[in-house]
Amino acid sequence: MLVQEGFWLFKADPEDRGIEEKWYAGPLESAETVAVGAAFNEQLPHHLNHLGSVWYQQQFFVPEDWAGRRAVARFGCANWNAEAWLNGQALGGHSGGYIAFELEAGGCLHPGGTNTLTVRVDMKLSRETVLQDGRSVGHWWGYGDKYPPCSGDYFPWGGLQRPVILYSTGADYIADISVTTGISGSTGLVDYRVEVAGSGEVEVHIGKAEAAGAAGQLEVVDALLWSPEEPNRYRLEVALLRDGRPVDRYDLMIGIRTVEVEGHRVLVNGKPYHFQGLGRHEDFHVVGSGVSLPLLVRDFSLLKWLGVNSIRAGHYPPSDELLEAADRLGMFIFDEVPANAFYHGRVKEGESPADLVPPAFKENHKQAVHEMVARDKNHPSVVAWSVANEPNSTLALCADYLKEIYDFTKRLDSRPVIFTSCGGLDDKAQGFFDIVCLNIYYFVDRAGGDWNAVRAMVSTLCDRMYELHRKPILATEFGADALVGEHSLPPVLLTEEFQRDHVMSYLDVLESKEFICGTMVWCFADFRVPQHFGRQIYNRKGLFTRDRQPKMLAHLLRERWARPVRERSAWTDPGSSRVYIKRSEEDWQ
Ligand code: BDP
């Protein structure tokens, strides 16, 4: 396996001339250098806001003994459309960001010689990309006016942000493995299915337990179960044999655990589970949304320090490396596709709301779900599939659309399927999903300065949603911006005291309700967003700054989360402030 991280040639193509001028046919002229495995935007500051095409090129030696073998180029991701050429010959391409894809490369390879891989990444968003371009849908609350424009509240990072590898197999190889696990008494049940390309006999082992055939079950006696608290794993060894000789082998680290929704609870390994979590973006200085293993180590140690057991990978599938860290160190992941805030746009003259989501968007959305499940299905840490963030689920049209995506996802895998709603009581789609997921942003400024009124609003929303759906409720987002070092008594927006009181007030309400199966504060750390009058360079809702130092709230949450959920004392001094205007409950509807 050849890892193609490191320095690559890089060339921005703002006028999109590269294809016509055949930049793939030879060395990239007048190129710059970037590190692959990280977004280019902060590496090369003059390209920070570039949202067009970019080209990458790398040369590498391939050993002689790869001759006649199958070779595959695997890209950790390329936002949003990629095309690749090897030694000047087209390998094909892929559409869709934040997910891995593979291109067959064997036919164009020069074994025993130098090879040149050229990749064009087109970052342009549109109405049809799963993350829509804010301009083409005319987003609500000024999102269309952001720069660079995109419909998400996160920076539209670009390029080859995750590792690129080239690997080879023989003609007969293990193409895919699917594992699901169950528990019977103290025995772990591991159902496996192996897809073989070519031919051969499959043998699988976990320690001394063994099975043969492309599908079957292994029993692990006295199994040590997987959970965020005790992330026990087993090595599933899969071998492909021909005439008794091994021709391929893949080892998969698995965790034995179950996740079920029952009544108003989510059960993990048969017991009610409380998700104590945060939303997290892939974002850090210089690497942007790229992969930094030391950063992952630090982030997981901070998450453990806080007492967090779950993260919502908002708003796209995280890197393979993050999932590996979560499996190994113990953390539940709510895995999410980048479908964000659709059906909210302003309808232009001659258009209907249906035009905001063209058929190609739906196809891309399903493809994104399919690829996420295919890539991540075997991770014990992945606890649920989130198919959208804040679509306009108050529209019947959107609810029908989401139902279709729910059914599509359910056919792929048995995990709970969710979407996160900002529709409040007007939401029309949560009833179709397995867990009711609410993003809640009631602020004290809307409540006339009355923190208790904010608590009442949060409480009413949750109670009514529960009466309506009788399903567990997960508060998938709530939080407030805080500029580190800004203090005020009484608390005012953007201060550390405000963030503290806001989040603690929400937790007081949420944690008092039996049917709340978890709370996910937005968010782990401050992250870069496009320029917008409502933001101060970063989204500042982090419990940590972008360079991973704690704000005041992080210390309080650490203390709070160290106690069992039903034994937490209320935050008694919200706002340290007086009530200026009293409002009735109807005002919030
Ligand atoms: C929520 C969005 C999230 C934003 C957050 C915020 O889901 O992407 O970052 O608001 O405004 O509505 O901080």
Side-chain angles (χ1 to χ4, degrees):
M1 185 174 82
L2 304 172
V3 178
Q4 297 301 329
E5 287 171 87
F7 299 129
W8 287 53
L9 292 180
F10 174 87
K11 191 166 168 175
D13 186 8
E15 285 136 31
D16 249 336
R17 292 185 295 138
I19 298 228
E20 208 185 307
E21 294 177 4
K22 297 195 171 58
W23 290 4
Y24 50 84
L28 267 188
E29 283 165 21
S30 324
E32 299 173 83
T33 290
V34 288
V36 160
F40 65 80
N41 311 67
E42 285 195 20
Q43 295 186 59
L44 297 170
H46 48 287
H47 292 312
L48 178 71
N49 298 309
H50 180 61
L51 245 190
S53 302
V54 295
W55 290 71
Y56 286 78
Q57 195 171 67
Q58 175 71 296
Q59 290 200 318
F60 51 94
F61 173 78
V62 171
E64 186 91 58
D65 59 10
W66 281 36
R69 287 177 65 81
R70 176 178 164 258
V72 179
R74 184 184 195 273
F75 298 83
C77 82
N79 292 4
W80 285 82
N81 293 299
E83 270 177 274
W85 294 262
L86 185 60
N87 300 322
Q89 288 175 263
L91 293 184
H94 177 265
S95 310
Y98 290 107
I99 195 75
F101 59 95
E102 296 191 340
L103 301 175
E104 295 282 333
C108 314
L109 213 58
H110 297 159
T114 302
N115 291 264
T116 305
L117 180 62
T118 308
V119 188
R120 172 182 182 264
V121 185
D122 181 355
M123 298 163 60
K124 280 188 281 307
L125 301 170
S126 70
R127 224 175 236 216
E128 298 183 354
T129 44
V130 179
L131 177 64
Q132 292 185 317
D133 158 27
R135 272 186 304 204
S136 71
V137 287
H139 253 291
W140 95 121
W141 61 283
Y143 262 7
D145 303 329
K146 293 183 305 179
Y147 180 70
C150 92
S151 64
D153 181 36
Y154 59 98
F155 198 81
W157 301 107
L160 299 176
Q161 298 126 286
R162 294 178 182 165
V164 178
I165 59 171
L166 193 76
Y167 69 89
S168 95
T169 70
D172 304 309
Y173 60 95
I174 298 164
D176 193 22
I177 304 170
S178 302
V179 170
T180 51
T181 60
I183 305 167
S184 169
S186 61
T187 303
L189 306 175
V190 178
D191 287 293
Y192 71 88
R193 201 158 27 85
V194 178
E195 214 179 281
V196 172
S199 60
E201 303 85 51
V202 173
E203 265 185 15
V204 297
H205 286 87
I206 297 177
K208 291 200 184 83
E210 59 179 356
Q217 191 179 68
L218 288 164
E219 291 192 359
V220 179
V221 178
D222 292 330
L224 297 172
L225 304 181
W226 189 96
S227 68
E229 296 69 36
E230 289 179 46
N232 298 301
R233 294 200 293 172
Y234 290 91
R235 181 178 292 271
L236 178 80
E237 300 166 4
V238 181
L240 182 67
L241 311 163
R242 279 200 72 169
D243 307 322
R245 281 189 37 249
V247 289
D248 199 9
R249 159 90 183 240
Y250 197 93
D251 286 7
L252 182 70
M253 295 305 289
I254 61 160
I256 299 171
R257 57 116 186 85
T258 58
V259 177
E260 298 148 281
V261 177
E262 201 182 271
H264 65 275
R265 295 194 155 117
V266 178
L267 307 182
V268 170
N269 299 334
K271 295 196 201 99
Y273 199 82
H274 184 79
F275 297 97
Q276 191 156 272
L278 304 170
R280 180 186 178 277
H281 266 294
E282 309 238 272
D283 178 277
F284 193 59
H285 297 293
V286 188
V287 296
S289 57
V291 179
S292 159
L293 299 184
L295 177 71
L296 283 175
V297 172
R298 177 159 177 104
D299 281 6
F300 274 80
S301 89
L302 293 176
L303 291 163
K304 295 280 176 187
W305 175 85
L306 270 177
V308 163
N309 61 22
S310 42
I311 46 185
R312 171 163 168 242
H315 298 308
Y316 38 77
S319 64
D320 298 296
E321 291 76 5
L322 181 135
L323 293 177
E324 165 64 15
D327 285 357
R328 169 185 190 119
L329 299 169
M331 190 65 59
F332 271 134
I333 304 294
F334 289 79
D335 207 349
E336 185 162 297
V337 289
N340 186 46
F342 50 93
Y343 274 121
H344 278 287
R346 286 186 289 272
V347 178
K348 296 183 195 138
E349 219 181 295
E351 282 189 343
S352 77
D355 295 317
L356 295 170
V357 174
F361 175 90
K362 193 195 276 180
E363 284 320 302
N364 288 334
H365 192 172
K366 286 184 177 171
Q367 183 190 324
V369 169
H370 193 274
E371 290 177 336
M372 170 176 74
V373 175
R375 191 196 68 164
D376 298 345
K377 63 189 170 189
N378 294 324
H379 285 283
S381 57
V382 174
V383 67
W385 307 115
S386 169
V387 299
N389 177 54
E390 300 191 347
N392 187 359
S393 57
T394 64
L395 290 181
L397 187 66
C398 179
D400 291 346
Y401 176 99
L402 289 166
K403 170 82 171 74
E404 186 177 331
I405 301 290
Y406 173 86
D407 291 339
F408 175 80
T409 314
K410 272 299 193 200
R411 286 196 288 274
L412 300 174
D413 187 75
S414 63
R415 284 176 179 80
V417 175
I418 62 166
F419 86 94
T420 61
S421 169
C422 62
L425 289 168
D426 296 325
D427 168 88
K428 294 189 171 56
Q430 282 293 339
F432 301 135
F433 285 75
D434 296 320
I435 303 172
V436 170
C437 290
L438 305 177
N439 289 359
I440 318 175
Y441 286 100
Y442 297 138
F443 273 81
V444 75
D445 53 345
R446 245 184 96 189
D450 184 347
W451 291 87
N452 287 327
V454 172
R455 292 178 183 217
M457 289 162 75
V458 176
S459 184
T460 303
L461 173 68
C462 295
D463 290 348
R464 296 212 184 141
M465 289 305 268
Y466 183 64
E467 277 159 30
L468 215 54
H469 301 302
R470 300 275 156 191
K471 290 183 182 178
I473 297 185
L474 183 64
T476 32
E477 273 188 43
F478 56 98
D481 292 76
L483 296 166
V484 74
E486 283 296 348
H487 295 282
S488 165
L489 198 67
V492 296
L493 269 173
L494 296 178
T495 60
E496 293 200 43
E497 285 81 2
F498 186 94
Q499 183 191 42
R500 176 198 64 188
D501 289 0
H502 182 87
V503 170
M504 296 297 262
S505 295
Y506 270 59
L507 286 174
D508 279 355
V509 175
L510 297 168
E511 289 176 349
S512 71
K513 296 184 190 292
E514 277 288 313
F515 54 77
I516 297 282
C517 67
T519 59
M520 315 215 79
V521 180
W522 190 254
C523 59
F524 172 63
D526 294 350
F527 58 93
R528 187 182 273 283
V529 291
Q531 295 168 65
H532 181 254
F533 68 87
R535 293 280 181 263
Q536 299 76 36
I537 310 175
Y538 306 129
N539 180 314
R540 308 276 186 163
K541 293 191 183 67
L543 301 186
F544 294 86
T545 56
R546 198 184 190 213
D547 51 4
R548 279 29 182 191
Q549 299 305 333
K551 299 183 191 171
M552 183 198 284
L553 174 63
H555 294 282
L556 283 167
L557 287 181
R558 179 169 189 249
E559 277 170 35
R560 184 182 186 109
W561 286 344
R563 290 198 216 109
V565 64
R566 303 285 171 232
E567 290 169 28
R568 291 175 189 160
S569 43
W571 179 244
T572 48
D573 191 20
S576 323
S577 66
R578 288 181 294 135
V579 173
Y580 294 96
I581 309 166
K582 268 271 179 222
R583 291 192 182 175
S584 67
E585 205 191 284
E586 283 66 51
D587 287 351
W588 323 127
Q589 306 309 323

